[in-house]
Each structure stands twice: as structure tokens, then as C-alpha cells.
Amino acid sequence: MFKICPNCGAHNTATAKFCTRCGTSLAGVVATAETAVQSAQPTSENEASTANTAAVSEQSSVPSSLTSSSAQNQPVTPQQAQSQVTPPDNSQQPQNQVPPQPASTQTQSQQTAQGPAPTAQPYQPDQTQQQAQTPPEEPNPTVEATKKYAGSYWRYLVDSIKHPATVTRPYHQYFGLTSLAITIVSLALTIALMTGSAVSSLPGAIASNVLMTFLKLVFLVAVLMIAVVAVYYLVVNGMLGDRRRSFLTFTTEYAFHCNWMVFFSVFTLLMQMLGMINIGSIFLIWLLLSLGSGLFVISGTYMLFSAQSTNRFDKIYAYLIVGILLVIVFLIIMTFGLSSILGGIGQGINDFGRSFNF
């Protein structure tokens, strides 16, 4: 039993699904014995015609001069003349041979034999692939820089608590200003919370006046602390000739020696927020504030005597000059600052007295 390929006419085994010569599907072809017997003759005739065509093409590729000379020397037989003049007759092919079908017809027949094609569904990528293809979100550079700054500042605080007299590594130049800002804001919030309940019971004009006085006092303390650091920097840099540090770097090292005041001020604020302020705690608060102020003054003195003098100016005289400059700065700030604060307090007292007279 054999199957005849509908495309090229080759015979295949009865169990073949595709033609071994051209690959055409044999799903719809029925295997019969007659087809196999009859297909032998056309196949041999086709091979003969193919051989004759190859011979003609080889003879045509030979130059004409050689062909003419060989024709004169050798006699031409009738069979050769007939093969050269008369083309091979393909009319002798058996009529029962299946003619080749177009590619579209073959495709349709294959689809019919194999059954209906499955319905194409839209491509839906896997959720894992979508997550892999989705680029990761880039972190916010501002948030990352803030986290890095906070982590470095915390290490700066820990190092200053462990060894307040020794700066073992360089730190960010704004850490000193950060410590001063935390101290001032914590103390300001503590005082604001302490006076908040009393101010809330006063009339609106008096409450606003007290608030303005409080803001002036906070600003005055901030200016005074920066002025003290600036005086020590000018003496160390100008008189002693120690120009290794800029003003911001000098401020960072200055605050390194007195960072306990940061913890004291934050601890005081937490006590006020938790409502733990009483007579005994007030004494503790004043003690902590006194220790913080003392550390702030001692840090300036330590910076002065640990400086590297390059012009051989005596540090004792430099310390005396620092004391004189601090007194002058304190008087100037207090003259202008306290006058404004005292004026605000007096205005508040007058408003308070008028409210009772009314």
C-alpha cells in the first residue's frame, strides 16, 4: 500500500503523513495498491525525460565550433537527431496521475484534514513579566540626601558624646549650625508651651503682643550664640593665625565640644510636652540649661587654647581679648534687643491694665 503525493507524484508509505520529497501533507490521500503500480511508469518516464533534458542542456553548453567539428567527424544516429530536434513528449503520462494543486488549495486541504484551527486569543503577558519589564522607581534625590544627612549627623552627635574633646574625623560643615538650630528651637518651643496656657486666657491684643515678644527673644538668643562663635573664630584666625578652618568648619568643631546642650534642650522639650513639669522638674530644667550654657562657653575657651598659633601671639592675651570682645557684643545686642523686648513687655502691661479699666 502506498500514498501518491498530490504535489510531486512521489510514492510514500501507507503510514506517511508528509511527502518525503516535497513535504506536502498526505492527511487526505488514500493509500491504494493500483496507484502504487501505475505510478512506477510515470516516475520512470519522468526520470527519462529529465535525463534527456539534461543531455540537451549539456550539448547546448558546448561551443558551436566544437559541436560542428564533432558533427562532421561522427555520424548522428536517428535517435540522437530525434532527441535533439523533437522535445520530450509529456502526453504519454498516465491520465490517472493527480495534477499538482496550488499552494492555497493544499493549505485548505491540510486545514480541512487537521480540523478547524484554534481561535487566536490576544497576547496577555504574565504578571511576573510585567513586573520584570516595568523599570524600578527611582528614589527621590532630596529624600535620599536628607536621610544621608540625618544619619551622618547622628553619628556626629554620638561621637561628640563619647569623646567631646577630640575630633577624630572631618564632618559636614553645616552640622554645627544644625546643633545650634536644634538647641534654640527646642528651648523656644519649651518656653512657648510653658506660657501658652497663660497667654490663651488673655485678650487677643495682649496675646499677640506676648507672642511677638517671645519671637524677639528667640531671635536675640540665636544672634547672641552666633556672635560668640564669630568672636572666637576671629581671635583664633586673626590673632593666633590658625587658618586651617573656615567659619562653618570652625562652628562644626565648636558645637562638637558642647553637643550635650542639644540633648538637654530636647529632653526639656519632651518633659514639657508630656506634662511632667512641676516644681522639682523646673529645678532640673534650670540645672540642665545652666550646664548647656557652661559647656557652650567652655567650648570656645577650649577652641582658643587648642589652636595652632603661627605668629607666636600669647594665648592668655588672646583669651583676655576674647572676653573684652564678648562683653562689647553682649552690650550691643542687649542694648538694641532688650530695649525692643522691654518696650513690648511694657506695651503689653499697659494693654492689660486698660482691659481691666474698661
Side-chain angles (χ1 to χ4, degrees), residues 224 324-338:
L224 183 60
I324 295 172
L325 293 176
L326 288 178
V327 171
I328 294 174
V329 170
F330 184 79
L331 290 176
I332 293 174
I333 293 176
M334 289 302 171
T335 300
F336 293 97
L338 285 180

Side-chain angles (χ1 to χ4, degrees), residues 19 54 108 138 144 155 211 223 246 262 277 283 309 322 338:
C19 179
Q108 294 177 2
E138 296 183 358
E144 295 298 324
R155 185 178 61 182
L211 179 61
V223 172
S246 62
V262 177
I277 302 298
F283 176 77
S309 180
V322 167
L338 285 180

